[in-house]
Amino acid sequence: MTCRVILIAPAITPSLRRARFDDGDSIENPEAVTLSLPAGRAVSSPSVRCRETAAALGLDASAESGPAGLDAGRWRGRTLEEVTAAEPEALVRWLSDPGSAPHGGESVREFCARVTEWLETTGRTGGRTIAVVEPEVVRAVVLHALGAPESAFWRVDVPPLAATEVTGGPGRWNLRLGQAGGRAAAVR
């Protein structure tokens, strides 16, 4: 049974604009959030920005813990600039070692394993799932689909409202870039 999972990154927030670890703020200009999306089961990360983005897109999405964002521990609500000034060695270690979690939250390795488990479970349902998820969830799914190492995690950029699709099912996912026939899920 083939499954399609369309991952939508949340709309821009003041935290994203300031490179701040998620602090629960709301999206900017929800009335301007539009994408052309097919029908399907809708889910979201439990964060405010993902739930608000899903609502702005007209999705009746259920919040799920599996695709929640990476737990940044005590860095939550702090900017990269603040963390760099206060804990430069810890930040370098976290960005270079997927098994490191100097902030007391999840390591990239633990996070990728959790997201992979969510994706594999979702893949067993078949059909289409539209998931409004944190950018780091998209990164983890892309790495899993490509069989790329966790060390590549920070090399995947995911802009606000980006749509990324994977198709297949448990144990075999394909990354699908764009849509044939001009039906791309694009910002209007």
Side-chain angles (χ1 to χ4, degrees):
M1 170 177 358
T2 298
C3 181
R4 293 187 185 283
V5 180
I6 301 170
L7 306 158
I8 309 294
I12 194 75
T13 66
S15 288
L16 285 174
R17 204 175 284 290
R18 291 187 304 265
R20 181 183 305 276
F21 290 95
D22 183 32
D23 61 359
D25 58 353
S26 291
I27 63 173
E28 296 177 354
N29 303 318
E31 64 283 348
V33 175
T34 59
L35 293 175
S36 175
L37 296 169
R41 179 177 83 99
V43 301
S44 77
S45 294
S47 69
V48 170
R49 63 187 178 196
C50 287
R51 287 183 288 117
E52 287 181 351
T53 299
L57 291 170
L59 300 172
D60 184 19
S62 60
E64 294 187 0
S65 61
L70 192 147
D71 177 359
R74 71 176 178 279
W75 293 350
R76 186 174 195 267
R78 296 171 70 188
T79 65
L80 279 176
E81 184 178 349
E82 292 167 343
V83 173
T84 299
E87 304 179 58
E89 299 85 15
L91 183 62
V92 168
R93 189 169 61 252
W94 185 59
L95 293 173
S96 61
D97 176 4
S100 177
H103 45 58
E106 280 178 300
S107 69
V108 168
R109 179 167 295 130
E110 292 166 332
F111 173 73
C112 286
R114 175 169 53 81
V115 170
T116 294
E117 181 179 331
W118 169 78
L119 180 64
E120 295 295 305
T121 299
T122 299
R124 286 190 271 288
T125 65
R128 180 178 288 128
T129 299
I130 299 166
V132 180
V133 296
E134 300 295 343
E136 61 268 25
V137 172
V138 177
R139 286 185 188 117
V141 168
V142 167
L143 294 183
H144 180 65
L146 296 177
E150 295 155 347
S151 60
F153 185 80
W154 299 111
R155 300 186 60 94
V156 178
D157 289 331
V158 183
L161 296 176
T164 304
E165 185 174 356
V166 291
T167 63
R172 186 175 187 281
W173 291 96
N174 297 305
L175 180 62
R176 186 172 192 188
L177 301 175
Q179 301 259 351
R183 299 175 321 149
V187 177
R188 289 186 204 152

